[in-house]
Amino acid sequence: MSAHAYKKKNPVWDWLTTVDHKKIGILYLASGAFFFLLGGIEAILLRVQLLYPEFDFVGAETFNQLLTMHGTTMIFLAAMPLIFGFMNAIVPLQIGARDVAFPFVNSLGFWLFTAGGILLNLGWFLGGAPDAGWTGYAPLSTTSPGNGVDFYVLGLQISGIGTLIGGINFLVTIINMRAPGMTFMRMPLFTWSSFITSGLILFAFPALTIGLALLMFDRLFGSQFFAAEAGGNPIIYEHLFWIFGHPEVYILVLPAFGMFSEIIATFARKRLFGYSAMVFATALIGFLGFMVWVHHMFTVGLGPIANSIFAVATMLIAVPTGVKIFNWLFTMWGGKVSFPTANLFAVGFIPSFVLGGMTGVMLSVPPADYQYHDSYFVVAHFHYVIVGGVVFGLFAGMYYWWPKIFGTVLNEFLGKLHFWLFFIGFHLTFFPMHFLGLMGMPRRVYTYLSGQSLDEANFAATMGAFLMGLATIIMVWNIIQTSVKGKKAGNDPWDGRTLEWAISSPAPEYNFAQTPLVRGLDAWWLEKRAGNKQMVAAEPLDDIHMPDSSILPVLLSLGLFTAALSAIYSNWVLAIGGLALAALSMILRSVIDYHGYHIHKEDLPAEGREGK
Amino acid sequence: MKSNEAMTKLPANPERATLDGKNKFLGFWFFLGGETVLFASLFGVYLGLRNATNGGVTSNELFELPLVFIATMLLLTSSLTSVFATMALKTNHFKRMIGWFVVTGLLGLGFLGLEIYEFNHYVHEYGHTIKSSAWGSAFYTLVGTHGAHVFMGISWITLLIIRNLRRGMDLYTAPKFYLFALYWHFIDVVWIFIFTVVYLMGKVG
Ligand code: HEM
Ligand SMILES: [Cu+2]
């Protein structure tokens, strides 16, 4: 079996079949980046349509499609995979693991996500994209003509399954694969937040699965779940969607919180202030996140008691969130703070996110929400938390971990330019939207009338969007330049604190030649203070077991993709064929024995070996 | 097949004796956690729509408890037989385990047959379909999703038995069988809720 390791692999085949979490991480990052650019272009087109009152740029129909696809793409196809990309690339390294618990499942998760993402976007080429909003509320979605919403329903379903199994993989990895000494309360905060996010994924995504399945039944098989005229009840869909949807916003933002915690501590050259409070606050946010979904439905008419209970629960979330904000501030307090791009994004996040949190608390007051609901005020709120929180986090994480993932350092000058243009553009776009909302501009409407004092703020918002677009182009330029001739990074370019910085950049296939022994929080920092050049090994040097790569995840995803696409066009023969391919792949996975192979200790580079 | 002597050398919990087994064990429990939310959502939907008969047949007129009772007994018994199989697994009696799993699968098949008969009966005798009312949609989706799980389970154990019949028990095969047993119990628990919420409450509530 071991000859396997030295066979020269065809690179395309290698990427299709890889089960290495670091490569899967890169795949997630690449496809997430692609969809991020796509969603960004959609956003710019939306903003151009809203540049002037009664402007005719894309028109109402295309506007609805762009709006739906922008939201869906950014949440499900950009933010989620980018987060999974960082989790894959970094979490196993941070806990001193050689691998994830389920390498095969991990790769299947990625390919399902990709198949779903492609399916979702096919609507553009096949007679119209989904147009019922990223929330897909019935009966708008069940009665929307054409096939657009079918692409939404089935594309999200497939990518959602991928996300779910990815979440299970990280839960088990973090519980079972930690290196000796890496107790739960020594785990870096990014690992902690990935852990809690994975738990949220596990318990939130099945509700979406059901919501989408029922939508599909109503659309494709004539069931009556949401058809009020036949006794159905569209409010049920809203419940299902938000039981998933609110936890989803924390699924997105908690990993970003984790990144900020690492980055702020590293560049303050101080241990994170209030580590255990941070862990507790993260867990509490995750828990409360399941108790507040009705705040998206205050105006539905569930009654004052339901509204009040959910209002109080919603306000409660601001408490652990506030704890985190203060802990970040106190981490910087008295530290030797430096501001490379990663830290600029981290520090820029704090005031931006606080604004979003404040409007959140305003929205959580039901009588006031009757005014704000479905207005631009809500659009301002969630962009402040999602862009100011999640996107800033992803950018910060990118500048911070790029060296570890790719072995080169992103250009700092271009990085800072990226930050400032994006930061200014972001506030220029979304700050005026608060006032647009308060003045009564409804969200999701393709135009507005002049003479209602909406012109200036809309104009400013579009200019801000252009600035963010420019910033993104600079970022892409930076990435291209760095990939072509980037400066080589050392193992530990930022003088980091956590385990991933103790190994080479990029990390070798097997991560750690010898599993490290963890002797405290900020394990690598401790060893450096103690004068050690490497982590102390927890085991003697030995052969390293590696998992077998496999093409089955691609085949299985292809099968489901084919089945879904055929079902949309009622081609049941082909649909069954697709399902059969998926089933066959599963059967093959079950009956073939995958024993993996070994990398022999004699073949490990001397440099990778730790304390002999 | 290995001699009995060699076989008794397996550790106490062979399904969790390797890292791989531990991972699968924990991962599968998490998976069942997700499945719980999945079915909880379906139960919620069902409870919201169980009186939305759209002027058609009602649950009280439709359900015949004797049939459902037999189905329930079949499934409950199959859960018991899968416990016997797990006990055989833990005490390292491979053939006995296979035997009990075969019985489990057959009982599951019997349950599935009754369910298909039941659905067919409702559709053709009463015109109760997924389209006839919101209640019909909810009924077939909840009970049908459970039925699909039973079908998955039967296919799974069939595959496991065929693949591993000649291999016997070791630390590699034990987790595979053990996980199936977990899954099967889960399906059984869900059915108990369906029996209560759908059928009993449909008759009296
Ligand atoms: C202090 C914490 C927060 C509170 C109190 C809060 C409260 C609310 C409320 C009450 C709404 C409903 C407004 C309406 O539709 O009328 C809302 C909408 C929303 N929030 Fe928050 N929120 C908070 C934090 C966050 C975070 C951290 C995120 C994401 C990372 C987020 C994302 C969203 C999104 C996406 C929507 C709009 C969904 C839609 O209708 O399309 N929120 N928030
Ligand atoms: Cu919410």
Side-chain angles (χ1 to χ4, degrees), chain A residues 315-336:
Chain A
M315 292 169 198
L316 267 182
I317 294 202
V319 176
T321 314
V323 168
K324 288 182 148 289
I325 300 280
F326 282 114
N327 280 346
W328 288 315
L329 293 176
F330 290 143
T331 304
M332 289 192 288
W333 185 270
K336 281 200 225 99

Side-chain angles (χ1 to χ4, degrees), chain A residues 422-504:
Chain A
F422 198 89
F423 187 78
I424 295 168
F426 160 70
H427 285 282
L428 186 57
T429 303
F430 297 110
F431 195 73
M433 287 191 189
H434 293 108
F435 302 102
L436 284 175
L438 294 177
M439 289 188 294
M441 181 163 162
R443 65 188 281 204
R444 293 177 167 170
V445 176
Y446 77 105
T447 194
Y448 52 95
L449 297 176
S450 61
Q452 303 186 332
S453 325
L454 303 176
D455 304 13
E456 293 78 10
N458 269 303
F459 186 82
T462 303
M463 291 306 124
F466 288 159
L467 269 188
M468 281 191 280
L470 184 63
T472 309
I473 293 172
I474 290 171
M475 175 193 81
V476 172
W477 173 240
N478 194 352
I479 290 177
I480 294 174
Q481 244 207 351
T482 307
S483 307
V484 176
K485 50 173 186 140
K487 199 170 79 197
K488 282 265 163 301
N491 294 355
D492 187 9
W494 315 117
D495 199 3
R497 312 177 73 81
T498 42
L499 273 182
E500 73 270 30
W501 305 110
I503 52 177
S504 64

Side-chain angles (χ1 to χ4, degrees), chain A residues 246 249 292 295-296:
Chain A
H246 187 83
V249 303
V292 299
H295 67 219
H296 296 274

Side-chain angles (χ1 to χ4, degrees), chain A residues 1-51:
Chain A
M1 256 339 225
S2 67
H4 191 107
Y6 313 109
K7 242 190 292 172
K8 188 103 186 89
K9 295 176 196 154
N10 170 333
V12 177
W13 183 253
D14 184 35
W15 283 100
L16 288 176
T17 58
T18 184
V19 291
D20 178 350
H21 65 89
K22 296 174 291 302
K23 285 190 175 157
I24 292 174
I26 292 175
L27 286 173
Y28 265 122
L29 291 175
S31 57
F34 170 78
F35 285 120
F36 178 75
L37 296 180
L38 196 63
I41 293 169
E42 285 158 357
I44 300 240
L45 295 177
L46 291 172
R47 276 322 312 174
V48 175
Q49 167 65 32
L50 293 168
L51 184 54

Side-chain angles (χ1 to χ4, degrees), chain B residues 38-137:
Chain B
L38 191 100
F39 276 104
S41 306
L42 284 175
F43 276 108
V45 173
Y46 186 84
L47 285 172
L49 296 175
R50 70 193 194 93
N51 295 318
T53 53
N54 200 20
V57 60
T58 66
S59 55
N60 199 0
E61 293 157 11
L62 190 67
F63 295 151
E64 287 158 25
L65 282 187
L67 181 80
V68 186
F69 180 73
I70 299 173
T72 305
M73 288 331 282
L74 285 180
L75 206 60
L76 284 185
T77 315
S78 78
S79 215
L80 184 67
T81 54
S82 76
V83 172
F84 291 152
T86 319
M87 282 159 58
L89 183 151
K90 297 230 180 194
T91 53
N92 205 359
H93 293 90
F94 185 72
K95 280 189 182 154
R96 195 182 300 168
M97 178 190 81
I98 294 287
W100 282 120
F101 273 136
V102 170
V103 178
T104 305
L106 289 177
L107 287 167
L109 216 52
F111 170 88
L112 209 56
L114 283 186
E115 186 153 275
I116 292 169
Y117 167 80
E118 182 197 1
F119 282 9
N120 199 36
H121 184 67
Y122 292 163
V123 170
H124 291 111
E125 306 289 312
Y126 291 93
H128 176 63
T129 69
I130 192 169
K131 297 181 185 178
S132 60
S133 67
W135 171 55
S137 312

